[in-house]
Amino acid sequence: LLRADPCLFCVSAWNDNGKPEIASDSKAIFRTDFFPGLGWMLLRSFWLELRTRWPTEYWDDFVRRGDVRQGRQCLRPEVSRTYTFGEVGVSKGQFFNTHLRKMALNKELVDWQRLDLSFVASAARFDDFLAEEIHRAEAVTLEALAPRLAAAEAAAAAVFVVAYKDAAWGRYAKYFGLMEDMKDGVRRGAYRGVLPITWKKHRLFLVRDWPLSAPGK
């Protein structure tokens, strides 16, 4: 996938929002506009773009810059395949106690070659996939989510969409235990403002505008 799609610049083993409460689907994989930064693979061609500018510290934030990413994305899992085990490093332990030490590590063997990953093979295919999933989902507000989930407990896994506004993101992040910060206008794990998580065993999409605001929708 990485070699075939020029709109991808990395494949990552890490989900910045990979706490077990919000990341439990070991087979889930997504495209993201955010560079995850912990356990990642790139092509030589991308490294050649960056090597003369590579910083001595906070290189992950460097790669997240718009002039570096240039509209390209990464692939990331929902459940991380790597982890960080200490506070010492070039990022000086940033977010370690509040988020990073709590991340889930995958324990399920997944044969990716046997899975149909065509939905993430290009940005256009992922747009179609994500838009279809979101438009089929049940729209609920943050306030109505808890009682709706309680009603769905005995039923099969449902899919929900919760719309948010940028100005209120902190409230949504605190509710779900997400990392609140943005880097160069992009939230961790998000794609076009959409952040998929698994909440109480249900797929949930946090949506800023697209695709709910798409013409004709």
Side-chain angles (χ1 to χ4, degrees), residues 49-119:
E49 288 182 33
L50 307 182
R51 62 178 182 176
T52 59
R53 298 190 288 159
W54 197 258
T56 56
E57 60 182 19
Y58 294 106
W59 50 264
D60 46 357
D61 287 344
F62 165 74
V63 179
R64 291 165 185 153
R65 286 170 24 184
D67 63 306
V68 173
R69 194 169 59 83
Q70 297 182 21
R72 292 170 289 192
Q73 298 110 31
C74 289
L75 293 178
R76 66 155 180 94
E78 175 167 304
V79 183
S80 296
R81 268 65 177 177
T82 186
Y83 66 99
T84 179
F85 53 84
E87 300 178 73
V88 178
V90 295
S91 295
K92 308 186 188 309
Q94 188 181 34
F95 302 121
F96 180 76
N97 288 319
T98 54
H99 288 280
L100 303 183
R101 69 180 180 85
K102 303 174 184 178
M103 298 299 181
L105 182 65
N106 181 63
K107 298 179 181 179
E108 179 183 343
L109 179 63
V110 177
D111 187 349
W112 294 105
Q113 292 185 330
R114 291 182 177 272
L115 298 183
D116 180 6
L117 302 179
S118 60
F119 69 101

Side-chain angles (χ1 to χ4, degrees), residues 6 14 36 39 48 83 90 93 109 119 135 153 155 161 172 193 212 214:
W14 173 256
L48 293 178
Y83 66 99
V90 295
L109 179 63
F119 69 101
H135 286 300
E153 279 294 323
V161 57
Y172 291 78
L212 297 179

